[in-house]
Amino acid sequence: MPPFNQAYDYIIQPGWKDSGPDHWQTHWQQALGALRVQNDNWTEPALEAWLDGLDEALDAARRPAIVIAHSLGCITVAHHARRFHNRIAGALLVAPADVERPFVPQPLMGFAPVPRQPLPFPARVVASTSDPYCKPHRAARMAGYWGASLVWLPQAGHINVDSGHRTWEAGWQELSALLQAVAHAAAA
């Protein structure tokens, strides 16, 4: 793990069903000393409760916050930014879940539609060409809606434990690139 700018607090925003002990988000939380969003119900997500959970984590941050989100957590960040401007300094959005796809699981339907407004902070979407929960054209469309840079991981599944991404060492490069964009935006 490269050294990261201590001018920021880092917040882990898991997706549906949380990120377990082997998930890269849990490893990153420990490595970064990050705050983690707490939700009462990870299996039956409710948008308002998830927005409150992210807001509470942001309240606990003492410095500008970088949010590291996965899957449904990415959609949560986009909804949060639409409602609460200027709470987030930047976001790494990994494997966004397409909550508008056909046959989306019922618990995720309350997160649709996907927000279509540009995010008011630098963001980087990391998507897979083989994500079973988000087709490439949909990931590209979300990145476009949000004004986020887009990075493709070939054949990387959902970028989670099931696809072999436990510590996800290569992901540190993506966080580093996001931090450069945040610094550039702050200097502009």
Side-chain angles (χ1 to χ4, degrees):
M1 175 185 89
F4 285 105
N5 190 329
Q6 294 305 308
Y8 303 105
D9 279 338
Y10 297 91
I11 295 176
I12 300 294
Q13 170 63 71
W16 186 31
K17 300 181 182 177
D18 200 1
S19 296
D22 289 335
H23 196 286
W24 63 267
Q25 279 192 307
T26 302
H27 293 287
W28 283 29
Q29 177 187 354
Q30 294 164 355
L32 292 168
L35 301 165
R36 188 183 189 104
V37 172
Q38 300 299 314
N39 285 319
D40 291 334
N41 193 334
W42 290 104
T43 56
E44 295 291 328
L47 178 59
E48 293 302 322
W50 279 42
L51 292 173
D52 289 345
L54 178 53
D55 216 36
E56 287 172 17
L58 288 163
D59 285 344
R62 291 185 268 165
R63 296 170 289 199
I66 302 294
V67 179
I68 301 166
H70 181 256
S71 191
L72 188 61
C74 301
I75 308 305
T76 304
V77 169
H79 280 291
H80 189 277
R82 187 171 53 89
R83 294 186 186 181
F84 308 104
H85 298 284
N86 302 323
R87 300 270 349 250
I88 297 171
L92 184 64
L93 305 170
V94 181
D98 183 2
V99 295
E100 297 174 358
R101 70 186 185 268
F103 309 110
V104 68
Q106 188 279 330
L108 309 188
M109 290 179 180
F111 287 72
V114 171
R116 286 164 168 72
Q117 297 80 16
L119 299 175
F121 46 76
R124 190 169 184 85
V125 171
V126 180
S128 167
T129 60
S130 63
D131 190 335
Y133 309 117
C134 188
K135 297 206 177 289
H137 75 278
R138 290 289 298 154
R141 185 166 292 162
M142 282 186 251
Y145 293 152
W146 302 334
S149 61
L150 176 61
V151 176
W152 291 106
L153 298 185
Q155 302 300 311
H158 194 48
I159 314 175
N160 61 3
V161 173
D162 290 343
S163 62
H165 295 85
R166 287 177 173 75
T167 58
W168 192 37
E169 295 295 322
W172 293 117
Q173 296 174 66
E174 304 308 331
L175 181 57
S176 183
L178 172 68
L179 292 175
Q180 290 174 6
V182 170
H184 181 59

